[in-house]
Amino acid sequence: MTGADIRNHNLKVLEDGNYEGAEVDAFVESTAKAFDELFNENKEIVRRLTIFAKKIDEYKKTEGYMTET
């Protein structure tokens, strides 16, 4: 789900001008699930980047030691 999907989603308007509660609840739930998925993916990406950054630092130190010798 993208921001455009959320913005362009049309909820059914009832005769009294209100939205149908079940439809709103379903939309909120699907939006929350999409947000949770993105949040978890982002958390995993940050975890991996942290590992890669540490490895790069290790390789730079190793390279420095090799250059000195």
Side-chain angles (χ1 to χ4, degrees), residues 19-65:
Y19 296 108
E20 185 178 327
E23 185 181 1
V24 172
D25 290 345
F27 181 68
V28 168
E29 182 60 29
S30 67
T31 303
K33 282 182 182 179
F35 179 84
D36 287 342
E37 288 174 14
L38 288 172
F39 182 81
N40 290 331
E41 286 176 20
N42 186 56
K43 200 162 95 172
E44 177 62 15
I45 289 168
V46 169
R47 185 187 73 78
R48 287 181 177 191
L49 283 174
T50 301
I51 291 169
F52 291 144
K54 287 178 184 177
K55 292 233 182 240
I56 288 171
D57 286 341
E58 290 173 16
Y59 293 143
K60 285 181 179 179
K61 286 179 186 176
T62 302
E63 180 183 35
Y65 296 144

